[in-house]
Amino acid sequence: MDMNYYLIAPAKTFNQSENLLTYESETKLKIGHIVIIPFGKQSCVGIVVEKTTKPSFLTKPITQLLYDEALPPSLVKALFWLTDYYRCPMSTVVQAILPRGITKKRRPTKEQLPEQAKSADNILNSAQKRAIRTIENSKANTVLLHGITGSGKTNVYIELAKHHLAAGESVIVLVPEIALTSQIVRNFRAHFDEILLIHSGQTESLRHQIWQKALQSQQPQIVIGPRSALFTPVKQLGLIIIDEAHEPAYQQDQNPKYSALRLSSVMAKTILGTATPLVSDYYVCQQHDAIVELSQLAIKNDKTASTTIIDLKNRANFARNRLLSNQLIDSIKQSLANHTQTMIFHNRRGTAPLTVCDQCGWQALCPNCYLPLVLHADSYQMRCHTCGHTETVPTVCPECSNPSIHHKGFGTKYLEQELQKLFPKARIARFDADTDSNQQLSKIYGQVYNGEIDIIVGTQMIAKGFDFPKLTTLGIVQADAQLALPDYSSEERTFQLLTQVIGRATRGHQNTQIFVQTYQPNHPIIQLATNKDYAGLYKYLLQKRKQSTLPPYSFLLKLSLTYKTEKSAVLNVRKLHKKIVQNSQKLHLSQVSITPPMPAFHERTSTGYTWEIIIKAKSRNNLLRIFDSLDKSPYLHFELDPISLL
Ligand code: ADP
Ligand code: ZN
Ligand code: ZN
């Protein structure tokens, strides 16, 4: 009998072994088949990627074929692309592509989804119809659907999905974070009988079963989920829709580090939907003539929104409360009197973010992360927002025993208290990452929607997807809070966040008063966001990026070294720097710039001290050539195309 030989990508590596290993099989296998193979003294899962000829060395037989069905070609392509484009170990990509616990037997479970009213018609106005035509006629592989909030992007997605499904093709819809209550899920469920829904609340077992269903189904499917939903093994993938495509949630920051947007565009035709595209995406799509604009509200209305910028430096504005301006307080009063609602936005949770001793300079820091501990006065705790460490609130300074330690700055819990003092009769709720459970979140969501809550205080979590039918006052407590972060994308992020928050108040349900409090009333970003001027933002940021050769005018590679002591970190990062400079000269690379070694933004963490080098290059290939020329060590970490340099 003839033996068959295959190259297999295993989910494990040892000793820097080759990415692909050769195994034999008596039965014929297909590309994309998932198998169990002997691996050293153990066994592991792997993906068949290529048929090969009998090698000169001895081969072992595969142990088992896990499923009769093979992974679709789009996923085999993704496997190679991710490994090559992001230089990550193929084994980590295999792990990401396959579901957890793939070898386990599962007892059938089914998710109970709330009943959903069906609506057969998908209403489209002329702008939406035009957008659909343009997208479907476009030769570009990735099309940006730039539509203002409320322009009806969801109906466009639904129509496109219907067309692909009818043509026998599957569709994957990515959302930044998924809640069963989210509007996009509800809208899709009203139009499609069966949707494979993937979200973080599901057990490993349920996720595995959904994955299995996709693998074994002969029908085209609609999948909705987070970035990892790209790895659902659907047949004939025809379209990927990425909603809120500007969100950082589409970037995976652990191995395999990748952008779901880039990956998606190599797997299938991709639609990026957002009101605030990343300038780099806008730039690239513009060059391919692949931007479709939706600039009118889908539902016309005669409601107005008036925006007032309030200077936090002018303390006369804050005569009644040090955080909430007189104008904002008056407007809240008015809203309470009219039985309408108020939303107060502040993107910092807890009571106070800094606790210090004025006498000796001691600061409350997390013993694991060396980051400031945040006071949570309601539970009488100090908490680390990075690792979750908690301790009790000190009453005296642990260094000098000074009894007057100070809590500085303020978070949403503090604002909640202040508002309750100012408006004792108001029903106030807080909505942020400290809100305990999903159940609690949906309860508050329901109460807000039904008008049982007068004032809601929250972080960016209230900026996303919340619909307030009775919102008449919106207060942004400190609009410039994130602007000062030393990162090339912080202005862009601030614009997106402010646009999103302001979008909550301009949905056309009510006439609204918006108060934007800021220390920098004339800052271009504050001005552009309050004027809803995306075109202005694009021009402003592109100009700045060009001046400093940042994306889209360059590609970035961040290299970091982490060592137990500061001394070895500095020593080794200097060596690395020298090596990079030498190698780039040897390779004769042009238009490459290499920063001197710098301490990382969070220099000290539980694993030691981190120093960094950033390399910028006009050509991504040059970045890869430098990277490939370096010796890899376990101390060296790297990220290609980072969206943030912090
Ligand atoms: P976006 O996602 O672009 O912010 P949505 O898709 O949420 O906007 O649409 C905003 C609102 O307009 C929704 O309530 C939606 O049901 C409604 N809508 C969308 N298209 C139409 C249409 N053609 N006719 C009437 N209402 C529409
Ligand atoms: Zn002290
Ligand atoms: Zn910590």
Side-chain angles (χ1 to χ4, degrees):
M1 192 173 75
D2 276 358
M3 192 56 92
N4 304 286
Y5 298 90
Y6 296 98
L7 292 180
I8 293 182
K12 286 185 192 165
T13 30
F14 57 49
N15 299 340
Q16 311 271 315
S17 62
E18 292 288 316
N19 274 336
L20 298 176
L21 302 174
T22 311
Y23 287 85
E24 59 182 52
S25 166
E26 285 183 1
T27 55
K28 279 206 177 352
L29 298 175
K30 289 185 209 157
I31 307 304
H33 260 152
I34 302 160
V35 291
I36 296 182
I37 47 175
F39 193 79
K41 290 197 172 69
Q42 299 164 326
S43 67
C44 88
V45 183
I47 301 173
V48 178
V49 297
E50 208 181 307
K51 187 159 173 42
T52 186
T53 50
K54 184 177 172 33
S56 55
F57 48 87
L58 273 182
T59 49
K60 289 183 183 168
I62 67 151
T63 314
Q64 189 193 337
L65 173 64
L66 267 183
Y67 291 95
D68 289 338
E69 299 79 9
L71 292 176
S74 54
L75 284 180
V76 178
K77 189 172 174 194
L79 170 64
F80 282 104
W81 184 81
L82 283 169
T83 307
D84 181 57
Y85 195 78
Y86 292 109
R87 292 296 193 263
C88 47
M90 197 175 250
S91 56
T92 65
V93 184
V94 172
Q95 287 164 30
I97 287 181
L98 300 178
R100 279 170 184 271
I102 189 172
T103 54
K104 289 187 189 150
K105 290 273 166 292
R106 304 293 186 183
R107 215 174 292 138
T109 53
K110 200 161 188 287
E111 186 166 34
Q112 295 302 320
L113 294 176
E115 274 300 310
Q116 177 80 45
K118 289 273 177 277
S119 69
D121 289 343
N122 185 30
I123 313 160
L124 298 166
N125 59 34
S126 56
Q128 289 165 319
K129 284 181 189 154
R130 208 175 325 116
I132 291 161
R133 265 202 313 278
T134 314
I135 290 170
E136 294 191 328
N137 292 334
S138 171
K139 293 199 176 52
N141 188 58
T142 301
V143 179
L144 174 64
L145 178 60
H146 178 212
I148 61 165
T149 307
S151 59
K153 293 188 285 297
T154 314
N155 288 14
V156 173
Y157 302 154
I158 289 172
E159 194 65 17
L160 291 169
K162 283 189 171 177
H163 295 179
H164 280 272
L165 207 59
E169 290 182 336
S170 295
V171 178
I172 297 177
V173 183
L174 298 189
V175 288
E177 49 220 288
I178 186 160
L180 290 180
T181 46
S182 84
Q183 210 191 334
I184 192 154
V185 174
R186 277 188 285 133
N187 289 346
F188 264 81
R189 286 185 61 216
H191 286 278
F192 298 97
D193 285 331
E194 194 180 59
I195 291 176
L196 298 179
L197 208 55
I198 299 169
H199 60 87
S200 59
Q202 291 164 335
T203 59
E204 180 185 297
S205 169
L206 184 57
R207 278 188 178 216
H208 185 188
Q209 289 171 61
I210 294 170
W211 177 88
Q212 229 165 310
K213 182 159 185 199
L215 182 73
Q216 292 170 339
S217 165
Q218 293 312 311
Q219 306 304 319
Q221 304 279 341
I222 305 254
V223 180
I224 306 183
R227 61 170 187 252
S228 60
L230 285 179
F231 301 131
T232 314
V234 289
K235 298 272 145 15
Q236 296 296 332
L237 180 58
L239 181 72
I240 300 167
I241 295 164
I242 305 187
D243 190 35
E244 306 289 356
H246 60 278
E247 285 284 337
Y250 293 122
Q251 190 81 9
Q252 173 143 313
D253 54 10
Q254 281 155 10
N255 260 332
K257 294 173 186 168
Y258 68 92
S259 152
L261 276 62
R262 294 289 92 72
L263 171 59
S264 160
S265 66
V266 300
M267 290 175 69
K269 176 147 186 166
T270 298
I271 309 298
L272 310 177
T274 166
T276 52
L278 288 165
V279 294
S280 290
D281 292 335
Y282 199 92
Y283 181 83
V284 173
C285 289
Q286 200 171 45
Q287 291 195 321
H288 293 90
D289 192 21
I291 300 181
V292 177
E293 305 272 355
L294 281 180
S295 45
Q296 302 294 321
L297 290 172
I299 307 172
K300 303 269 183 301
N301 66 77
D302 57 358
K303 297 290 190 275
T304 58
S306 87
T307 307
T308 314
I309 297 181
I310 294 168
D311 190 350
L312 272 158
K313 296 191 299 297
N314 181 357
R315 297 313 292 171
N317 287 328
F318 295 84
R320 281 181 266 165
N321 184 282
R322 81 185 171 90
L323 304 177
L324 305 166
S325 57
N326 311 335
Q327 298 92 320
L328 176 56
I329 292 176
D330 285 337
S331 183
I332 299 174
K333 264 192 192 149
Q334 194 59 52
S335 294
L336 286 170
N338 297 340
H339 305 286
T340 57
Q341 294 174 309
T342 295
M343 168 171 150
I344 302 293
F345 170 80
H346 184 57
N347 207 13
R348 185 150 233 177
R349 61 197 172 86
T351 308
L354 288 176
T355 296
V356 294
C357 168
D358 282 346
Q359 199 161 295
C360 74
W362 168 84
Q363 191 184 353
L365 294 179
C366 171
N368 308 319
C369 313
Y370 307 96
L371 291 171
L373 288 171
V374 180
L375 172 71
H376 285 254
D378 53 344
S379 55
Y380 213 67
Q381 267 180 339
M382 307 292 292
R383 273 190 220 162
C384 172
H385 286 183
T386 300
C387 73
H389 166 85
T390 60
E391 49 189 70
T392 54
V393 183
T395 48
V396 299
C397 171
E399 292 287 325
C400 73
S401 306
N402 167 20
S404 78
I405 50 176
H406 290 276
H407 303 293
K408 297 196 168 164
F410 61 95
T412 43
K413 282 187 179 171
Y414 188 80
L415 282 167
E416 187 184 13
Q417 284 173 16
E418 291 289 285
L419 285 159
Q420 201 70 73
K421 277 187 227 155
L422 286 165
F423 307 104
K425 292 206 188 105
R427 296 164 299 176
I428 301 177
R430 186 173 42 76
F431 197 90
D432 55 33
D434 293 311
T435 310
D436 292 325
S437 58
N438 275 337
Q439 235 170 349
Q440 188 69 10
L441 291 176
S442 11
K443 188 175 149 210
I444 297 176
Y445 186 94
Q447 286 174 331
V448 169
Y449 193 80
N450 297 329
E452 293 159 26
I453 285 177
D454 304 312
I455 304 177
I456 182 140
V457 186
T459 58
Q460 56 181 345
M461 283 173 68
I462 49 174
K464 296 179 183 160
F466 241 110
D467 194 23
F468 297 74
K470 291 170 102 184
L471 187 69
T472 53
T473 299
L474 166 64
I476 298 175
V477 180
Q478 195 196 329
D480 49 278
Q482 259 81 30
L483 272 179
L485 280 175
D487 192 8
Y488 81 94
S489 58
S490 50
E491 289 194 322
E492 187 169 33
R493 292 280 167 229
T494 300
F495 178 87
Q496 289 165 353
L497 191 53
L498 292 177
T499 303
Q500 221 157 23
V501 176
I502 290 170
R504 294 302 110 204
T506 51
R507 296 185 68 89
H509 300 301
Q510 308 275 344
N511 294 328
T512 49
Q513 303 285 331
I514 302 170
F515 300 91
V516 180
Q517 303 185 167
T518 172
Y519 285 106
Q520 303 174 69
N522 296 318
H523 193 289
I525 292 294
I526 304 290
Q527 293 289 332
L528 292 163
T530 49
N531 292 328
K532 296 193 242 165
D533 183 3
Y534 181 80
L537 175 89
Y538 182 65
K539 209 169 144 219
Y540 167 77
L541 284 181
L542 215 55
Q543 164 76 15
K544 289 187 87 171
R545 301 278 177 91
K546 188 161 197 176
Q547 265 166 13
S548 40
T549 331
L550 281 162
Y553 297 101
S554 67
F555 293 90
L556 302 176
L557 166 63
K558 180 165 117 172
L559 294 165
S560 40
L561 283 176
T562 304
Y563 282 86
K564 271 271 168 283
T565 68
E566 193 171 14
K567 201 174 146 206
S568 37
V570 174
L571 212 71
N572 285 292
V573 81
R574 283 195 188 138
K575 273 193 216 157
L576 177 67
H577 184 258
K578 213 171 140 190
K579 190 87 198 157
I580 295 170
V581 173
Q582 277 173 357
N583 290 3
S584 78
Q585 283 165 354
K586 255 189 250 161
L587 292 164
H588 303 292
L589 300 183
S590 63
Q591 296 184 304
V592 170
S593 96
I594 302 155
T595 67
M598 310 171 281
F601 186 64
H602 296 302
E603 181 187 358
R604 195 176 171 197
T605 63
S606 55
T607 44
Y609 291 81
T610 303
W611 280 63
E612 296 173 344
I613 296 169
I614 313 287
I615 311 179
K616 276 193 297 203
K618 277 269 183 200
S619 124
R620 197 172 183 281
N621 214 31
N622 284 348
L623 274 188
L624 294 177
R625 289 177 68 194
I626 295 187
F627 178 75
D628 292 340
S629 77
L630 301 172
D631 292 330
K632 309 301 177 293
S633 91
Y635 303 101
L636 175 69
H637 298 272
F638 69 96
E639 189 173 357
L640 280 156
D641 313 329
I643 53 167
S644 149
L645 290 176
L646 290 191

